[in-house]
Every structure is written in C-alpha cells, then in structure tokens.
Amino acid sequence: MTTLPIKPGVPYPLGATWDGEGVNFAIFAEHATAVELCLFDSPDAAREAVRVPLTTQTDYVWHGYIVGARPGQLYGYRIYGEHAPTAGLRYNPHKLLVDPYAKAVTNRMTWHDAIFGYPIGDPEEDLALDERDSAPYMPRSVIPDGAFSWGNDRPPQIPLHDSIIYELHVKGFTQLHPDVPKPLRGTYAGLAWPSVVNYFTSLGITAVELLPVHHFLDDRHLVERDLHNYWGYNTLAYFAPDARYSSSGDLGGQIAEFKAMVKTLHAAGIEVILDVVYNHTAEGNHLGPMLSMKGVDNPVYYRLVDDNLRYYMDYTGTGNSLNLLQPRTLQLIMDSLRYWVTEMHVDGFRFDLATTLARGLYEGDRLSSFFDTIHQDPVLSQVKLIAEPWD
C-alpha cells in the first residue's frame, strides 16, 4: 500500500484538525501496538488509496500531520494490537474504523459479515478472528471545514422557568410539511424554513428539543426487514450531525446546514436542545459489529464484566455501556458536549438514560464523576441540562 510522508504533529486536539496548510490527526489508543491512517479518494472507493503509519505517540495518543490534506478528505483508521477477547482486547487491523472524534461521517454503510470482528457462524463465535476487509462496506470519516459566518448570533438564554420546550424529530416534523420545498423536507434546512419557524413562534415555544441527531446506524436486523431506526438512539459518532438529515450531502455540508438551522432559530428567539445518547453505542455486545471504539480501545471505552472481560456490562438493554470510570471516555463525552455548544451553538442537552452515565464503582449508591465534571465546566455549566431518570 502506498504511503505518504508525515510530520509528527501534536496530540491535541483529538480528531482531524485542519489549520489552513494541512491536517493534524490524533487518536487515543492506549492498548494498541500500531496505528494506520487510511485516506480514501472517494466515498465509493472500496479501499483506501493510501495508508499512513502514525508512529509518534504522546500519552497513548497516536498523532501525525499531513501537509496539503484538506477539508473533504475521507479517512479512517486500522489499529493493530492483541486479539484476546477474554482479556477485553479486540484489535483487528482488517477492520476499518470510524474516528471517535469524526466531525462528519458519510452516509454510506452496507451491512456485511465483514463488518464483524469474528467470522459469523464460527463455533468459537467472537473468540475467532475474521480477516476479511471491512472497508468496502464501512462509512468514512470526513475532515471538516469549520468555517461558518455566525454573524451576530447569540444564544437566547431564556431562563429555565420561562422555557416552553417542543420536542420533535427533524425528519418527521418536516417530511410531509406542505410549505417546505420537497428537496428540503426531512432536513435541517427544512426545519429552518420560514413557515416552520413562524409556526414555532405562533405557538409561543422558546426551544426545540431535537430527537437524536448524532450520526447513528440502522440496526442490521431492521435493514434486512427493509425497516429503519427512526428514532436514532443508536449512535456511531458523537461529534457528527447525522447526514441523513442533510440536503447538502454527506461530505461536510451537513455541518454548515446544521449551523444555519441553529442560527435561523436563534434569530427567532428559539433555543436548540439536543437529545443525546452517551450511555451506549451502535457497536452492541460481544457479538456486535466492529465500527469504531470497539476496535480503537475496547476496555477503555466500554464497561466490561469484571470477572469475564469478554462480555459487556449492559445497563441499557442495548448491548453495551460506555465506561465513565475511564478518564479518556469521560473526556470524549465532555469534548463532544463542548463542541456542540462552542462550535454548533446549541443551547442545552437532554441526556438519555442519565442514570447510566451516573454509575460509578457501585450499582446505584455511588455516582461517577460525570455530573461533577459537567457542573464545574465553565461552558457546560451555563447551558440547559435535562436528565432522563429512567433506570
């Protein structure tokens, strides 16, 4: 595989960061032995055009800088390390991985057995190693262009006791709206259409709470029945607005379109609150697919069963639970929340299954540092925070 020259770069910020001359790539993978950055020429390319080893490591962050890389470049990772599921390690370099810090993700996803880290149907199940390449079937991470003219956009900052919150689904609210042009129905742009905004203001609401818009996946069992995950509680990428709700394509245009929606709603005095799902991901349990964090650093990102690290703690009934006892996992969530406030200008969050995020060393009596970390944060402590108490 062809390689490119690469400079050492820096370990922070995590993710892919463009500075006008090139892109710095940084990914945390404590238990990895090697990391390869994979660059793609097009969304339809079955395999990467270039593999670039990231050989510089700082505090378990693998990083490198590529001069000339630009926004719109598609990328992913292949990560090497021990394959020992009983020890919680599931490294498999045959599987392309979405960057946990990807700011945009293509909507290209084809369910195939190669997406799993083990051979489907093998009598050893996930203890076996599947060597098929998953790249032809996986979505790509996209290097974003963060440029956007916010103008005089300001958060409405409506007191919580004066708030009237309207919960809605981006697609469901606009898909059949007769006043919204057909190309914009079901999209962020549709939600910012003048007649829609006028309807909101006529109701007297002060905020819209959007059902999940983090990039999520349709479950395989649904796709095989020609169905879809309508609600979106199946997150793949915590920084990326879902491309299915974009009329601007999936190569980064979804970011600008989301920002334009927020700016328009703010101009009408309406806040934007996001329903967020930080308690689990789309990767499921030990028999689930290998898409991102499972192949990046499984025992760091996921809460595993103490006496049998092959299996996942499942507080949510969805197969896995994020490991909020790990500082790097807590950092991922905090970085994501701050990104949505500082870069995307949202005004608050509603945390799905918030009790799962609060679990510490004990089942229910001891809280993790999650809420303490939020309340001391100078950015997040100033926005609206709503916790779902389901348990």
Side-chain angles (χ1 to χ4, degrees):
M1 180 67 67
T2 304
T3 60
L4 282 177
I6 186 168
K7 294 182 177 181
V10 293
Y12 189 85
L14 292 166
T17 306
W18 184 57
D19 64 5
E21 296 182 358
V23 175
N24 188 80
F25 296 89
I27 184 169
F28 170 82
E30 177 178 351
H31 296 93
T33 57
V35 173
E36 286 182 336
L37 170 68
C38 303
L39 303 179
F40 293 82
D41 287 339
S42 73
D44 298 323
R47 290 177 175 81
E48 60 268 43
V50 179
R51 290 190 191 181
V52 184
L54 299 185
T55 58
T56 307
Q57 185 192 138
T58 304
D59 193 21
Y60 303 121
V61 175
W62 303 73
H63 51 91
Y65 181 92
I66 298 180
V67 177
R70 299 183 57 80
Q73 173 68 57
L74 307 176
Y75 73 101
Y77 287 101
R78 296 182 187 272
I79 300 187
Y80 297 75
E82 186 177 0
H83 180 262
T86 56
L89 300 173
R90 297 182 177 273
Y91 287 109
N92 188 338
H94 304 285
K95 310 304 173 183
L96 183 75
L97 303 173
V98 171
D99 182 358
Y101 275 74
K103 303 298 194 303
V105 178
T106 65
N107 198 30
R108 180 184 181 277
M109 171 76 179
T110 303
W111 279 106
H112 188 278
D113 287 354
I115 290 175
F116 295 77
Y118 64 95
I120 299 290
D122 191 287
E124 290 192 320
E125 293 188 317
D126 62 305
L127 299 180
L129 179 72
D130 185 83
E131 297 185 351
R132 288 173 293 181
D133 187 3
S134 69
Y137 315 103
M138 282 288 293
R140 320 299 192 210
S141 306
V142 185
I143 296 173
D145 182 352
F148 182 79
S149 178
W150 281 106
N152 60 354
D153 179 71
R154 295 290 184 275
Q157 293 185 326
I158 297 164
L160 189 58
H161 64 271
D162 290 331
S163 296
I164 303 174
I165 301 172
Y166 191 119
E167 182 185 73
L168 61 85
H169 188 287
V170 171
K171 180 177 180 180
F173 191 86
T174 61
Q175 182 65 29
L176 299 178
H177 198 299
D179 293 342
V180 176
K182 287 186 178 180
L184 302 184
R185 293 180 185 177
T187 70
Y188 307 118
L191 200 60
W193 193 251
S195 58
V196 174
V197 177
N198 290 339
Y199 175 68
F200 290 148
T201 57
S202 73
L203 292 176
I205 67 167
T206 64
V208 291
E209 180 186 305
L210 307 184
L211 290 167
V213 295
H214 287 167
H215 195 91
F216 66 92
L217 292 186
D218 291 321
D219 316 71
R220 186 177 192 177
H221 68 92
L222 294 179
V223 173
E224 291 176 346
R225 296 164 58 194
D226 198 28
L227 298 172
H228 298 281
N229 185 322
Y230 177 77
W231 298 109
Y233 292 88
N234 201 33
T235 308
L236 172 62
Y238 286 121
F239 292 78
D242 197 286
R244 278 164 290 198
Y245 305 147
S246 169
S247 65
S248 307
D250 61 358
L251 299 180
Q254 61 265 50
I255 298 175
E257 184 171 327
F258 185 94
K259 290 178 177 179
M261 175 197 71
V262 173
K263 182 178 179 180
T264 298
L265 291 171
H266 279 180
I270 298 171
E271 295 182 315
V272 178
I273 298 172
L274 301 187
D275 188 344
V276 289
V277 189
Y278 291 110
N279 51 72
H280 72 279
T281 75
E283 292 189 290
N285 61 16
H286 62 294
L287 298 179
M290 180 171 286
L291 308 168
S292 182
M293 291 187 283
K294 183 181 286 186
V296 174
D297 205 316
N298 187 60
V300 167
Y301 285 117
Y302 292 114
R303 190 85 177 263
L304 306 180
V305 177
D306 289 337
D307 57 355
N308 194 339
L309 299 177
R310 176 185 178 185
Y311 300 110
Y312 296 78
M313 295 299 293
D314 183 10
Y315 295 125
T316 66
T318 57
N320 63 51
S321 300
L322 261 65
N323 189 358
L324 271 295
L325 301 179
Q326 281 285 348
R328 287 292 190 174
T329 307
L330 185 60
Q331 178 190 359
L332 170 79
I333 295 176
M334 295 301 156
D335 286 349
S336 168
L337 291 168
R338 279 190 292 268
Y339 173 79
W340 285 96
V341 174
T342 60
E343 296 295 324
M344 309 294 269
H345 286 206
V346 304
D347 303 283
F349 305 94
R350 177 266 191 190
F351 294 94
D352 181 64
L353 311 191
T355 45
T356 301
L357 300 175
R359 290 186 192 276
L361 296 175
Y362 305 96
E363 288 294 307
D365 298 332
R366 177 80 172 270
L367 298 183
S368 73
S369 58
F370 175 72
F371 291 117
D372 289 339
T373 304
I374 282 184
H375 286 303
Q376 63 79 42
D377 188 281
V379 174
L380 301 178
S381 62
Q382 302 305 306
V383 301
K384 290 182 170 62
L385 304 170
I386 303 168
E388 182 191 21
W390 180 94
D391 202 10

